Amino acid sequence: MRKKLVVLGATALILAGCGNQTVAEMLNNQKKEVKTEQIAKQAEKIVPEVKIIGENGVGAGIIVKKEDSALYIVTNGALVASKPSALVQLSNEKLVQADVHYMSTAHNIAILQVKYKTDVNVPNVYKGELNNLSVYVNGQPSTIEKYADRVAAYYVEAGEKLPLGSPVMNEANGEIVGIYFNRKQQGVAEPYILPLQDVVPLIDEWIAEGMSATNRLAQSKNLYSYIEGGDKEAVKQSVKTFGKDIFAYNADEVKIFIDLFQEHLKAAVIENDATVMENLTGAEDLQGTLNSMVAYYKSKNAKIHFSNTKVKSIDMKGKNIVARAKTEYVLTNAAGQEALANTTITYEIFKNAEGEYKMIRLTAEE
């Protein structure tokens, strides 16, 4: 009863200051104000900022595109340059694995792909003037400033170190202005903002094209010198929580090695000689398996298409890498007719101290 009286008393005070405004008008205005406040709160919640865990530290990113079962996130390239995988922490605290879908060393950004179905509203990209623009970075208000000695180079003065890849959001409406990271000039790291309006025409193109393992690895190596050491303990804890050490191997290097193995297998079948694969093997008892494989494919007049190999999974078994991949090839029958076939092979691979990959065991499933 007391609560009701308090509410009525507050209403009476509001009515006393309404002048000629009717009660209906006043209530409608109140509803509009409440609705506006709710929209503002929702706008804060839909800002798709996520935490990014790379091998060497923790940063941030911004969701720039949503498909039916995938999210695409722009982040700092150096943050994820050492391995083509990362962990992403969404707003529900869930950790999911992300793959580096595209890498641009020219802009020092990466596009991550997360296979995850969720509802998210991607904010618009800001397309106006940047200098003296009021923004939020890592939840903190700031103002964009322009370097006096450089054309189209912008930064924010931060009181504390900001996470690499942090979204820079327009304070007025939440539009994406760009992402924040450190840019090295003459060996000195300086704050830098990459305006997304400069690359937005390219993002859809990069997402559609993707990137081969070979090109992504080459691009990543260009950013190795920009990698900064971060909170390794936080990375370790995130990997433990996720339950799988995705940084224990480099998926691109593994894929490239399997392609190389298939190329050598193709040559071995053509020459009917498995010894051409010896430089890729690291176990003596593997040669017998390779001899049998070459003899089988040769008897079927098989044409191996190593470029169509698709890696299904990569895991660790002790210190060895275990990859399961599906490879297409063409069989030719006695009448000379060709038919497409495939085989799934489980590869056990070892990386030695010199960084060389060696095949030590494989099992084929027809």
Side-chain angles (χ1 to χ4, degrees), residues 17-71:
C18 287
N20 296 326
Q21 191 177 33
T22 66
V23 174
E25 288 173 341
M26 183 276 296
L27 290 176
N28 283 334
N29 287 338
Q30 279 186 284
K31 287 179 181 178
K32 288 178 182 177
E33 289 173 4
V34 170
K35 190 174 182 181
T36 301
E37 185 179 354
Q38 288 174 343
I39 291 172
K41 287 181 178 179
Q42 288 174 356
E44 291 174 3
K45 291 180 181 178
I46 65 172
V47 173
E49 182 175 350
V50 295
K51 181 187 287 187
I52 308 292
I53 297 97
E55 182 183 25
N56 295 290
V58 179
I62 190 85
I63 298 173
V64 293
K65 188 171 184 178
K66 174 188 176 296
E67 294 181 347
D68 289 341
S69 57
L71 301 174

Side-chain angles (χ1 to χ4, degrees), residues 111-129:
I111 297 177
L112 308 182
Q113 182 193 60
V114 176
K115 294 180 180 178
Y116 190 75
K117 194 169 184 178
T118 187
D119 289 327
V120 60
N121 292 323
V122 179
N124 295 322
V125 173
Y126 176 79
K127 297 178 181 178
E129 174 59 38

Side-chain angles (χ1 to χ4, degrees), residues 218-239:
Q219 289 282 310
S220 297
K221 287 181 177 179
N222 292 334
L223 291 175
Y224 282 1
S225 61
Y226 294 90
I227 294 174
E228 298 181 18
D231 190 344
K232 290 295 185 70
E233 190 56 39
V235 175
K236 184 178 178 181
Q237 185 58 46
S238 296
V239 168

